[in-house]
Amino acid sequence: MGSENRLVLKWMRWCIGLLISFNCFSQGNYFEYHKLINKAEEQYFIKSDIDSTFYFYNKVFTSYNFVFVKDLVNAAQIAYFCKKPYRQYLEQGFEYGLKIDHIRYIPLFKTIYKQLSADTKLKKIYSIKRRDYLSRIDVNYLDYVYTVGFWDQRGRFLDRKVYEKRKKSILITLTDSIVKKGFPGDRLIGIADSTIFRQLGSKKPNFYDRVKPHKELWDYFSCNEQELTEKMMVLVLINNFSSYYKLKEYWLTEIKKGNIHPRDVALLHDNTYRSSTNPGFSTLKGVYHTNPFVSYGEKWKRKDINKMRHDLFMVAMEVDEKKKEYEKKHGFKLFWGFWNCR
């Protein structure tokens, strides 16, 4: 073998090795996932660099075995708006809980929703990928989350001391579950779906079957499928103002594993500021500016907020502001999750 051929072979082996190394590394490190997603958003919303935007999106979507569905939906919207192929992102989204029906929540897709919902080829792809999605859901863990969620909601109508005791008990069981299985987020139990147990072939009751016996919950407790996330456990933690503080040693590890989204953690962090009586209040030294029910005022400097966001793998406030502008001007739907924190 000539020296030129040996050099080419060596180069090819190096490239393959690098690719394998990246994939193995990335699959277990969602810090890198979020950095790449953030880079894609910065390239589009701040720098208007379309090619770089999809370079980073595609790098993420082909390198991880779990993808947060809102990232695929956002990429699909940008692609559609830029007159580029977009359906592959929706199709990949089916692997992570997206339904064709979810597309109707996006104003930008209003003119093509009927076409997509009637597309027999897309329906067939959805059916295949839906089976794959359902096969990855931990049914028992999902049932645990539903049980805890309803126990928490019903506790709101009890004596305050009784409810506080119940919230402490929930945190104890959740901590144990996180240690054993990981945080019960989208990756492990899928996204909100009011008929999920029936689809899974389980006899466990679905969301509204659990609501029905409790009249006190009828007026406000909904599944919120349009959030494209599993909201139940975040809701439980939102109701416990000390939850961020009590679970603080787990957050970075669970973000790295892909079990919880950084912006969910940011929401819980800022939620602490809603009650100055909880034990974690005095330990917090800044905000992420994601919680719509916190009065942020002028106390926090933008550069400090952006520094905290950067350290938690979030985009700067300027990117969020640009995204909100696109929602208002062009009909995008770019913020998802509990209280649109993602």
Side-chain angles (χ1 to χ4, degrees):
M1 182 182 289
S3 59
E4 262 187 46
N5 289 336
R6 281 197 297 271
L7 187 62
V8 170
L9 184 59
K10 185 178 180 180
W11 179 80
M12 288 175 65
R13 285 174 177 166
W14 179 83
C15 288
I16 294 170
L18 183 65
L19 181 61
I20 293 172
S21 173
F22 173 77
N23 282 329
C24 291
F25 171 70
S26 66
Q27 293 289 1
N29 187 352
Y30 276 75
F31 291 166
E32 298 303 315
Y33 172 105
H34 295 294
K35 286 179 183 178
L36 291 170
I37 290 294
N38 294 345
K39 196 70 178 175
E41 291 191 353
E42 289 163 4
Q43 292 297 313
Y44 185 71
F45 293 107
I46 302 299
K47 298 183 179 179
S48 301
D49 186 337
I50 297 171
D51 290 339
S52 293
T53 296
F54 289 103
Y55 168 79
F56 289 112
Y57 270 139
N58 293 335
K59 190 173 184 179
V60 174
F61 300 153
T62 58
S63 300
Y64 286 81
N65 58 17
F66 166 75
V67 174
F68 288 94
V69 71
K70 68 96 178 174
D71 293 323
L72 287 159
V73 172
N74 287 0
Q77 291 178 80
I78 294 171
Y80 176 76
F81 189 70
C82 295
K83 294 181 170 54
K84 288 185 172 292
Y86 67 92
R87 282 178 54 140
Q88 71 267 30
Y89 301 118
L90 297 177
E91 291 172 8
Q92 189 176 355
F94 299 154
E95 297 175 31
Y96 307 106
L98 183 70
K99 295 180 176 180
I100 296 175
D101 191 51
H102 287 142
I103 298 170
R104 67 190 175 94
Y105 297 121
I106 304 168
L108 184 68
F109 287 159
K110 184 178 180 180
T111 58
I112 60 170
Y113 169 63
K114 285 186 178 180
Q115 175 190 340
L116 291 173
S117 61
D119 189 314
T120 54
K121 183 179 179 181
L122 191 67
K123 287 181 179 179
K124 186 175 181 179
I125 293 170
Y126 169 75
S127 179
I128 294 169
K129 291 183 180 289
R130 184 70 180 175
R131 287 196 294 270
D132 293 338
Y133 165 69
L134 293 173
S135 71
R136 293 196 294 269
I137 292 176
D138 185 330
V139 183
N140 292 327
Y141 208 10
L142 177 62
D143 181 57
Y144 158 78
V145 169
Y146 268 48
T147 301
V148 166
F150 275 81
W151 199 45
D152 170 79
Q153 288 297 298
R154 291 169 60 199
R156 296 176 62 195
F157 299 91
L158 301 175
D159 176 80
R160 183 175 178 180
K161 289 183 178 179
V162 175
Y163 184 38
E164 290 302 320
K165 186 176 180 180
R166 180 172 290 196
K167 288 193 285 187
K168 289 179 181 178
S169 176
I170 288 173
L171 276 186
I172 292 171
T173 63
L174 175 60
T175 301
D176 185 57
S177 297
I178 290 173
V179 171
K180 291 178 179 177
K181 292 189 173 186
F183 184 85
D186 305 359
R187 180 172 190 169
L188 297 178
I189 61 173
I191 64 175
D193 190 321
S194 62
T195 60
I196 190 66
F197 287 107
R198 186 179 70 203
Q199 295 172 53
L200 289 165
S202 171
K203 293 182 180 179
K204 299 181 187 298
N206 282 304
F207 184 90
Y208 290 107
D209 294 327
R210 301 186 194 222
V211 171
K212 192 173 182 179
H214 308 290
K215 290 184 178 180
E216 70 275 18
L217 303 180
W218 289 1
D219 291 338
Y220 77 95
F221 199 31
S222 60
C223 191
N224 294 108
E225 296 184 45
Q226 71 274 16
E227 293 174 357
L228 300 187
T229 183
E230 177 46 61
K231 76 158 193 176
M232 193 75 79
M233 190 52 70
V234 175
L235 172 62
V236 170
L237 297 179
I238 283 287
N239 288 337
N240 188 331
F241 294 123
S242 65
S243 61
Y244 174 86
Y245 173 78
K246 295 289 188 181
L247 298 171
K248 64 180 180 179
E249 66 180 285
Y250 302 105
W251 294 132
L252 282 178
T253 300
E254 293 305 300
I255 289 172
K256 188 174 184 179
K257 291 178 180 178
N259 291 333
I260 191 168
H261 197 282
R263 296 183 70 123
D264 292 342
V265 175
L267 184 77
L268 296 172
H269 172 281
D270 287 7
N271 199 61
T272 306
Y273 286 102
R274 293 175 64 202
S275 173
S276 59
T277 61
N278 80 70
F281 183 86
S282 61
T283 68
L284 303 183
K285 305 300 180 184
V287 296
Y288 294 103
H289 221 284
T290 61
N291 192 310
F293 296 99
V294 172
S295 299
Y296 290 105
E298 302 297 324
K299 178 180 178 181
W300 313 104
K301 295 180 180 179
R302 178 168 289 226
K303 67 180 181 66
D304 295 329
I305 296 172
N306 282 342
K307 173 64 166 59
M308 284 185 60
R309 281 172 162 244
H310 176 270
D311 292 344
L312 196 64
F313 314 101
M314 295 170 60
V315 292
M317 288 184 68
E318 290 78 6
V319 179
D320 277 358
E321 288 165 354
K322 202 70 178 177
K323 288 162 68 178
K324 289 174 183 176
E325 183 181 314
Y326 268 70
E327 285 189 333
K328 186 176 181 180
K329 288 185 176 180
H330 305 297
F332 278 73
K333 172 75 172 81
L334 297 167
F335 290 93
W336 307 87
F338 195 93
W339 288 345
N340 288 323
C341 69
R342 290 191 185 177

